[in-house]
């Protein structure tokens, strides 16, 4: 098994574990993003209402599609990132330079991986967002728009039924709703990496030493906070496009303008609190789990190769 595949498998496993740990925050953030202006509710009240109405399981609505989605997303992302990075490293060696990638080359590798991931997995996240935005029981009509305390629909259907309903509504195109803001959001990890690198260089110059793991954790968290804060309006637009809220004919800029006109600038940042917390925690757990899983998988592969060699010698 190549290192590309090992990184992809480790990334998928790390993504699943971190997703399960932080999913209630995703539920709260998603429902905030798609709520109507008339039904604004703070996060603590929303969590309490969900638990009272649906039980703790309500905080995990759509988890099955999310776990599948994050495993595919991370597998595709890390596979293409490692593939792109290896291609750049090979080119730099042929050019007589160091194998270490420049910041620009790393950003391009991230953009290639991110774009491939969006185009591959957008249908999964459309289904997941719609399921996350629903509540289990409701006396309201099925066609009512989702709100934080009264999400869309009378109860979350199965993933298969949601896929069928989505196809009946808009055909194949419905599965790619929000793909443009999703492609714009490819810049999020690029921003995070760039901010991390700049802060890292600044800290190393001041401290006159390499950064420690705790320094890297803190700088990574700061990078993720800034990147998410800057790109959050596109996350809001993407979520609303996924559930079909607003005029389907609107392009990205028109969707942003419509939210500002109807709800003010704060409308672009609904649910930003739990999203920021979730993003930072997920990033920390993802890197921790990914590295651990990669090391375990690499050790297992090495032991397997050693055992195979020993068996061949005995034969």
């Amino acid at each position: 098994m190549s290192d590309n595949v090992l990184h992809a498998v480790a990334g998928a496993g790390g993504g699943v574990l971190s997703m399960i740990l932080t999913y209630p925050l995703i539920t709260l953030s998603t429902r905030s993003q798609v709520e109507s202006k008339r039904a604004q509710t703070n996060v603590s009240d929303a969590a309490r209402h969900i638990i009272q109405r649906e039980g703790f399981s309500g905080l995990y609505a759509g988890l099955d599609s999310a776990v599948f989605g994050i495993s595919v997303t991370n597998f595709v992302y890390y596979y293409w990132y490692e593939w792109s990075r290896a291609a750049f490293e090979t080119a730099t060696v042929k050019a007589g330079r160091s194998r270490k990638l420049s910041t620009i080359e790393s950003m391009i590798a991230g953009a290639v991986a991110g774009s491939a991931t969006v185009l591959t997995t957008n249908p999964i996240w459309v289904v997941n967002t719609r399921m996350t935005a629903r509540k289990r029981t409701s006396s309201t009509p099925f066609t009512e728009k989702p709100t934080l305390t009264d999400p869309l629909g009378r109860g979350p259907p199965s993933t298969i039924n949601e896929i069928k309903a989505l196809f009946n509504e808009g055909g194949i195109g419905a599965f790619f709703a929000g793909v443009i803001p999703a492609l714009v959001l490819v810049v999020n990890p690029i921003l995070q990496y760039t901010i991390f690198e700049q802060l890292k260089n600044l800290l190393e110059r001041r401290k006159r030493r390499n950064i420690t793991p705790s320094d890297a954790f803190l700088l990574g968290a700061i990078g993720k906070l800034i990147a998410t804060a800057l790109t959050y309006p596109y996350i809001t637009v993407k979520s609303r496009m996924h559930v079909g809220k607003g005029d389907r004919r609107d392009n990205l800029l028109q969707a942003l303008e419509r939210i500002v006109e109807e709800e003010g600038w704060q409308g672009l940042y609904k649910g930003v609190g739990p999203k920021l917390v979730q993003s930072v925690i997920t990033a920390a757990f993802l890197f921790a789990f990914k590295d651990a899983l990669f090391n375990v998988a690499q050790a297992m592969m090495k032991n397997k190769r050693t055992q195979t060699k020993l068996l061949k010698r005995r034969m």
Side-chain angles (χ1 to χ4, degrees):
M1 187 182 294
S2 68
D3 279 356
N4 288 4
V5 176
L6 280 179
H7 278 289
V9 172
V16 168
L17 293 172
S18 59
M19 170 70 76
I20 292 172
L21 287 172
T22 62
Y23 197 76
L25 293 171
I26 296 175
T27 298
L28 292 171
S29 177
T30 300
R31 294 194 182 188
S32 293
Q33 289 162 0
V34 300
E35 74 172 350
S36 69
K37 185 179 179 181
R38 299 187 302 273
Q40 294 183 13
T41 310
N42 63 46
V43 173
S44 59
D45 285 343
R48 180 168 52 82
H49 290 159
I50 291 172
I51 293 171
Q52 287 177 347
R53 185 182 61 239
E54 308 171 36
F56 280 99
S57 61
L59 294 172
Y60 287 88
L63 178 62
D64 54 348
S65 60
V67 167
F68 177 70
I70 197 65
S71 61
V72 175
T73 295
N74 281 16
F75 183 92
V76 173
Y77 179 86
Y78 282 107
Y79 181 86
W80 280 103
Y81 180 79
E82 294 299 327
W83 181 87
S84 301
R85 191 177 72 171
F88 274 119
E89 287 178 345
T90 301
T92 57
V93 170
K94 288 182 178 179
R97 292 163 43 204
S98 168
R99 287 179 64 89
K100 187 176 181 181
L101 268 61
S102 67
T103 300
I104 297 297
E105 289 168 338
S106 294
M107 290 170 66
I108 293 173
V112 170
S115 299
T117 302
V118 166
L119 295 175
T120 304
T121 64
N122 196 76
I124 300 172
W125 294 116
V126 172
V127 173
N128 172 254
T129 303
R130 288 167 63 96
M131 294 183 72
T132 303
R134 296 182 187 277
K135 74 172 185 178
R136 293 182 182 273
T137 59
S138 174
S139 58
T140 57
F142 180 78
T143 56
E144 182 172 321
K145 293 298 181 183
T147 66
L148 185 57
T149 56
D150 189 21
L152 178 66
R154 287 179 294 214
S158 67
T159 302
I160 297 300
N161 287 339
E162 186 65 53
I163 291 171
K164 290 179 179 177
L166 187 60
F167 182 79
N168 291 334
E169 286 178 22
I172 295 296
F175 291 93
F176 289 91
V179 73
I180 299 302
L183 285 170
V184 173
L185 286 168
V186 168
V187 77
N188 185 294
I190 295 174
L191 283 173
Q192 180 188 0
Y193 176 82
T194 304
I195 293 167
F196 174 85
E197 285 296 315
Q198 294 302 315
L199 291 175
K200 173 187 170 184
N201 293 337
L202 179 63
L203 185 62
E204 287 181 340
R205 282 198 300 269
R206 287 190 175 184
K207 299 284 187 179
R208 295 182 180 179
R209 60 169 174 78
N210 292 331
I211 63 171
T212 64
S214 59
D215 291 332
F217 179 89
L218 179 60
L219 297 182
I222 293 172
K224 190 64 177 179
L225 276 171
I226 296 173
T228 301
L230 290 174
T231 58
Y232 193 79
Y234 298 99
I235 299 174
T236 299
V237 171
K238 183 185 72 169
S239 294
R240 295 191 179 199
M241 287 182 171
H242 283 183
V243 299
K245 187 173 183 180
D247 193 333
R248 291 182 181 272
R249 295 169 296 180
D250 284 352
N251 60 34
L252 178 58
L253 292 178
Q254 289 171 331
L256 288 168
E257 289 173 358
R258 185 182 295 275
I259 293 173
V260 174
E261 288 175 2
E262 296 178 356
E263 306 172 37
W265 288 98
Q266 65 270 25
L268 295 174
Y269 287 90
K270 286 183 175 179
V272 68
K275 180 61 179 179
L276 285 174
V277 174
Q278 182 267 331
S279 294
V280 172
I281 294 175
T282 298
F285 279 125
L286 171 60
F287 285 115
F289 287 143
K290 177 182 176 294
D291 287 346
L293 291 172
F294 179 79
N295 292 335
V296 169
Q298 201 171 41
M300 290 175 64
M301 292 296 296
K302 186 176 180 180
N303 289 337
K304 186 175 180 180
R305 285 194 294 267
T306 301
Q307 290 176 359
T308 303
K309 289 180 180 178
L310 289 173
L311 286 172
K312 287 182 177 179
R313 288 178 182 175
R314 290 176 181 176
M315 295 173 63

